[in-house]
Amino acid sequence: MKSIPLILPLITLPFSGYAEEQQPAGMPQSPNVIFIYADDIGYGDLSCNGAKTICTPNVERLAAEGVRFTNAHSAAATSTPARYAMLTGEYAWRRQGTGIADGDAGMIIRPERYTLADMFHEAGYVTAAIGKWHLGLGDKKGTQDWNKLLSPNLSDIGFDYSYIMAATGDRVPCVFVENGQVVNLDPDDPIYVSYQKNFPGEPTGKNNPELLTMHPSHGHNQSIVNGISRIGFMKGGKSALWKDDQIADELTGKAISFIEQHKDRPFFLYFATQDAHVPRVPNARFAGKSGMGPRGDVLLQFDWSVGEVMNTLKRLGLDKNTIVILSSDNGPVVDDGYRDMAVEMLGDHKPGGPFRGGKYSSYEAGTRVPCILRWSGQVEPSVSNALVCQLDWIASIASLLGVEMPADAAPDSENYLDAWLGKDLKGRPCLVEQNAQNNLSIITEEWKYIEPGKGVPFNRNVGIETGNSPDPQLYNMYDDLGEKENVAEKYPEVVEKLAAKLAAIKDDRVGLPLE
Ligand code: NG6
Ligand code: CA
């Protein structure tokens, strides 16, 4: 296991990368980098991307001051594989055990893996992860003792500081974990977690619906925490339980403290908010404010978090020297398992914007997510249609910072720094997208090919077309952004070429030319 020095060298590495010559005279240090990584926020959920029924002014301002991407993707249509790929620079479908993780999963990114946080470390940065984690903790599934230091934890993969939700809002344990230790735990009330069976005498959503303040629509009928039944069973740890309506405040507060504490040295902050994942419990300040029910309200709450981060940067004079990247882990879902009125109150709102499908799907709304990069003074405000993917953040930022990554690090990540900085409108020649059944698609500027795959075509629980089909699908991205007309039979040669390219990438022979 590698050890991370507790005290990082105080000297700041010279800013030796790509933008050196453009660096303004007197720029004190390498730029800070903040990822604001939303959960389940769709392309169409933000007013900067054309939403008319919801107003997200802070994100709009960020977009107006930076590059707003229209063809940016997460690497997968669900959280765990999207985050795995983003943090390691490796497509998650190459690895077993990277599907949607239980709350008692062991660390999915093992300590020996080189991560984005390691890369920042090498450039002399202090690093933090605050918010939703969903990539496992401790050594092996189900063997954690939540009352002790969980090991390995995020400090073993390059994060100097972490304050996280172990998995998701709807999975036990419903506690924050700070640097591997459950926060506010009373030793006299230890915490137990199981994804196998309930603890004797503990109520569940299934058996005790009378105890619920929010009812499940599907799944989510196990342990009850704060009147909401979750996935998985837990017992004890009462003093450590989070309050759902305060998660955004808690995480935003921690993000601000981290920025304040490290304002004098280069820092990397991975700020993973949990709005708009279920269960959606907006703070009273936002409840009822969107006219769209809790799902709309938590979008306003997310926008508030963004505003708080931006105000902090301004207040501390870090505005110019901080790169802020905002994106989401996967596309949107309206009913994701609770009866929270999201479907009934949706009205004309289109969470996926012009795109077909949603979270879990092979269609574009699955992975084509909101994405903005702001770097005041360095990056011209613009809109970019370049094909870009979060997978490439590690290689692109390594290039910016002049970090040479080890040869075997981040194998699928490529340096598209110019595209990220809005200077090159081209981006990737192609990208592989992964849906919830691990069926893969390949997208180029012109085409989208979805490989034949197993699974139902429509997920009735969530009301989303999955894109699964026994037949090949081909869509023209120039004429048919909404993937309405499958033209696979019309253009068999394009299908053949893209299927071969996908097979080559799967096989690791990424060099096979597209033409
Ligand atoms: C699904 C959950 C869903 C959500 C998702 C993960 C059920 C019925 N559905 O299995 O509610 O938690 O997993 O979402 O349990 S993600 O954004 O973290 O990938
Ligand atoms: Ca998600």
Side-chain angles (χ1 to χ4, degrees):
M1 200 180 293
K2 79 190 155 213
S3 66
I4 304 293
L6 280 179
I7 302 168
L8 286 156
L10 278 175
I11 39 142
T12 301
L13 292 186
F15 186 60
S16 56
Y18 170 92
E20 191 170 29
E21 65 277 20
Q22 295 108 315
Q23 204 181 328
M27 183 186 260
Q29 60 179 41
S30 315
N32 308 307
V33 180
I34 299 178
F35 289 0
I36 303 177
Y37 203 65
D39 196 358
D40 292 5
I41 292 187
Y43 185 91
D45 276 327
L46 302 172
S47 50
C48 67
N49 286 341
K52 297 273 183 285
T53 38
I54 196 99
C55 185
T56 46
N58 290 304
V59 180
E60 226 173 273
R61 197 169 326 128
L62 192 75
E65 294 169 359
V67 188
R68 179 172 67 81
F69 294 91
T70 64
N71 198 3
H73 294 253
S74 58
T78 58
S79 154
T80 303
R83 287 162 205 259
Y84 174 88
M86 189 264 287
L87 291 173
T88 64
E90 179 181 62
Y91 282 124
W93 45 261
R94 294 201 194 279
R95 291 271 163 182
Q96 291 287 323
T98 53
I100 298 174
D102 281 342
D104 67 345
M107 279 278 279
I108 292 172
I109 304 174
R110 303 308 294 183
E112 57 276 11
R113 274 319 285 270
Y114 188 89
T115 68
L116 185 76
D118 289 326
M119 188 278 292
F120 275 108
H121 252 183
E122 250 173 85
Y125 281 56
V126 61
T127 56
I130 293 171
K132 173 179 172 174
W133 180 236
H134 209 190
L135 286 164
L137 279 169
D139 190 28
K140 281 206 185 71
K141 179 171 167 56
T143 63
Q144 300 89 342
D145 182 345
W146 294 89
N147 305 288
K148 297 206 174 113
L149 177 74
L150 296 155
S151 177
N153 61 52
L154 282 70
S155 68
D156 298 297
I157 57 166
F159 288 102
D160 298 304
Y161 178 72
S162 58
Y163 192 95
I164 55 167
M165 303 164 71
T168 62
D170 56 350
R171 283 171 177 74
V172 302
C174 300
V175 295
F176 295 115
V177 179
E178 186 172 33
N179 297 328
Q181 205 103 41
V182 172
V183 178
N184 284 337
L185 190 62
D186 173 0
D188 293 335
D189 179 26
I191 179 172
Y192 300 100
V193 173
S194 169
Y195 275 71
Q196 302 291 321
K197 57 178 185 345
N198 193 18
F199 298 95
E202 294 294 311
T204 61
K206 186 165 179 220
N207 297 332
N208 307 86
E210 73 284 359
L211 299 178
L212 298 178
T213 52
M214 192 193 282
H215 290 262
S217 58
H218 56 271
H220 301 102
N221 61 1
Q222 299 177 331
S223 283
I224 302 174
V225 176
N226 305 332
I228 302 169
S229 47
R230 319 268 168 163
I231 308 171
F233 303 101
M234 76 176 285
K235 180 186 157 177
K238 291 270 177 307
S239 57
L241 299 175
W242 66 50
K243 296 189 175 53
D244 293 271
D245 64 340
Q246 280 159 42
I247 293 175
D249 283 24
E250 179 85 8
L251 298 179
T252 306
K254 293 289 172 196
I256 291 172
S257 305
F258 176 81
I259 298 170
E260 285 171 345
Q261 280 162 23
H262 300 93
K263 63 181 172 44
D264 296 323
R265 53 174 303 182
F267 63 79
F268 165 59
L269 168 61
Y270 168 44
F271 177 36
T273 68
Q274 85 111 26
D275 335 89
H277 199 282
V278 294
R280 302 167 183 132
V281 188
N283 187 275
R285 301 196 304 284
F286 306 101
K289 294 287 154 62
S290 68
M292 223 189 275
R295 187 173 188 281
D297 299 342
V298 296
L299 293 174
L300 303 183
Q301 184 169 275
F302 170 73
D303 187 66
W304 166 82
S305 293
V306 174
E308 290 297 292
V309 170
M310 301 318 292
N311 293 342
T312 305
L313 294 179
K314 199 163 237 124
R315 170 165 58 84
L316 299 175
L318 299 177
D319 230 7
K320 287 237 158 14
N321 201 32
T322 303
I323 300 174
V324 177
I325 302 181
L326 179 149
S327 198
S328 180
D329 66 341
N330 51 251
V333 52
V334 182
D335 177 353
D336 206 15
Y338 290 97
R339 286 193 249 144
D340 61 5
M341 298 299 286
V343 174
E344 295 82 345
M345 295 182 78
L346 192 63
D348 293 334
H349 181 63
K350 301 253 175 312
F355 306 113
R356 185 173 176 182
K359 179 174 177 176
Y360 308 110
S361 177
S362 281
Y363 294 122
E364 280 300 276
T367 63
R368 198 185 286 216
V369 287
C371 191
I372 297 164
L373 183 147
R374 189 191 87 148
W375 189 7
S376 290
Q378 295 283 310
V379 158
E380 288 291 315
S382 60
V383 176
S384 169
N385 301 328
L387 175 62
V388 288
C389 180
Q390 297 164 3
L391 187 63
D392 296 329
W393 285 343
I394 180 167
S396 304
I397 299 173
S399 146
L400 176 78
L401 302 181
V403 172
E404 252 193 61
M405 297 195 288
D408 58 350
D412 294 304
S413 185
E414 291 172 25
N415 173 13
Y416 285 102
L417 183 62
D418 281 351
W420 287 109
L421 299 182
K423 293 177 180 168
D424 182 349
L425 297 179
K426 267 271 176 256
R428 276 182 163 258
C430 68
L431 172 73
V432 178
E433 302 173 14
Q434 173 184 358
N435 84 356
Q437 282 72 41
N438 293 343
N439 291 327
L440 303 183
S441 317
I442 184 165
I443 181 173
T444 68
E445 201 179 277
E446 186 176 7
W447 299 104
K448 161 95 173 268
Y449 164 70
I450 306 177
E451 68 174 358
K454 291 209 172 82
V456 292
F458 186 72
N459 179 336
R460 275 200 281 162
N461 282 335
V462 296
I464 291 174
E465 292 180 290
T466 60
N468 301 328
S469 165
D471 302 316
Q473 295 173 73
L474 181 73
Y475 299 97
N476 188 298
M477 289 286 113
Y478 290 152
D479 305 338
D480 181 22
L481 210 51
E483 296 167 284
K484 289 193 180 70
E485 193 195 346
N486 179 6
V487 292
E489 282 183 16
K490 212 161 147 191
Y491 299 104
E493 71 292 347
V494 179
V495 168
E496 199 182 319
K497 191 173 71 182
L498 290 176
K501 180 70 187 170
L502 181 56
I505 296 172
K506 282 196 210 177
D507 253 14
D508 235 1
R509 290 179 285 115
V510 282
L512 190 79
L514 258 179
E515 301 312 323

